[in-house]
Amino acid sequence: MNHRQNIVLIPAAGSGSRFGAAKPKQYIEINGKTVLQHTVDIFERQPQIARIAVIVSPDCAAEFARFQTASAKTQIFAVGGDTRAQTVKNGVDTLLAQGLAQPDDNILVHDAARCCLPPEALQRLLATAADRPEGGILAVPVADTLKRGQSGAIAATVDRSGLWQAQTPQLFRAALLRQALSVSDLNGITDEASAVEKLGVRPLLVAGDIRNLKLTLPQDEYLVRLLLNAAEQAV
């Protein structure tokens, strides 16, 4: 019998500088809840998720003191680093060191500001990748024509065939993720899959969802509000 756990790790230590708000974007309130709370709620409602680890910055005590969870599944760890990769590494190391995760457990890393993940997309990822040693990520094929820019003008049109836009969650065994993030230089690692790829592993691409957008720029907030309202009405 397979006793492997599915554990969600949410790196929430970033400053959200591109969003331009006075506080990190994961603490912006939409419809009476912070973005982070909306994100956590997705996984608290999913029975296949055994644990949720929110990794925050050691110096954001004021924000996380207001954070409330509806489930004992969620724990907060103030071990965030200077970069996303360092935050995820610290989170995985902490879970393993405290016996809250085993090396063979699945870690699903999910963006704190990606609070509109449809449940069916999460279930697709679990059904496809949870038992695969190479892991997998949600992603969507690139639909728009891509241009490479130079000095404010088009330098070239980029062939989009075979290109995918990575989303989260990104699911990997804890031991594999720790190995991938244990390199001395974490620069240039913008997601967990890129770190795993450097080991020669080829993670699966699992069909994501365009609704699974990330709150990055101020104009994204309008779409996030619409999606959250639609999701609440559908419940």
Side-chain angles (χ1 to χ4, degrees):
M1 183 179 293
N2 182 8
H3 295 289
R4 185 179 299 118
Q5 294 188 101
N6 297 310
I7 300 170
V8 173
L9 190 155
I10 300 175
S15 64
S17 56
R18 283 181 292 177
F19 192 74
K23 63 176 73 174
K25 60 192 174 187
Q26 59 267 28
Y27 300 114
I28 298 295
E29 287 199 6
I30 298 178
N31 293 0
K33 293 182 183 178
T34 64
V35 169
L36 177 58
Q37 183 67 67
H38 283 294
T39 300
V40 169
D41 286 349
I42 296 167
F43 300 104
E44 288 191 336
R45 291 190 292 261
Q46 172 53 259
Q48 289 179 267
I49 301 302
R51 186 183 305 278
I52 304 163
V54 181
I55 314 301
V56 302
S57 171
D59 59 5
C60 71
E63 284 85 0
F64 100 77
R66 299 201 310 271
F67 182 76
Q68 297 180 347
T69 62
S71 167
K73 289 200 296 190
T74 301
Q75 292 174 271
I76 298 174
F77 300 90
V79 295
D82 293 334
T83 65
R84 176 200 172 90
Q86 189 64 56
T87 293
V88 174
K89 179 183 185 301
N90 293 353
V92 173
D93 287 346
T94 299
L95 289 170
L96 289 168
Q98 295 188 13
L100 300 173
Q102 299 303 312
D104 200 43
D105 285 339
N106 291 322
I107 304 291
L108 291 81
V109 183
H110 187 68
D111 298 324
R114 206 179 283 270
C115 60
C116 300
L117 170 67
E120 56 269 29
L122 172 59
Q123 290 163 2
R124 254 195 320 274
L125 179 65
L126 290 170
T128 305
D131 293 325
R132 296 289 293 265
E134 68 270 42
I137 73 169
L138 288 181
V140 292
V142 172
D144 295 320
T145 299
L146 297 177
K147 304 292 185 182
R148 179 175 292 109
Q150 185 176 14
S151 302
I154 296 173
T157 297
V158 179
D159 182 4
R160 71 185 181 205
S161 58
L163 295 182
W164 292 67
Q165 181 176 330
Q167 297 183 338
T168 65
Q170 302 196 352
L171 182 158
F172 300 102
R173 303 279 168 84
L176 176 61
L177 193 53
R178 178 171 60 179
Q179 179 187 0
L181 295 173
S182 293
V183 296
S184 58
D185 184 9
L186 291 173
N187 290 327
I189 295 178
T190 57
D191 70 349
E192 293 64 51
S194 60
V196 170
E197 291 162 43
K198 290 179 181 293
L199 299 176
V201 178
R202 298 180 61 190
L204 300 175
L205 288 168
V206 180
D209 193 299
I210 59 170
R211 293 170 293 178
N212 186 24
L213 62 84
K214 184 179 179 182
L215 182 63
T216 303
L217 300 172
Q219 56 262 39
D220 298 333
E221 186 176 343
Y222 173 74
L223 293 175
V224 167
R225 286 184 184 276
L226 290 178
L227 289 167
L228 289 174
N229 287 337
E232 289 172 4
Q233 292 169 10
V235 174

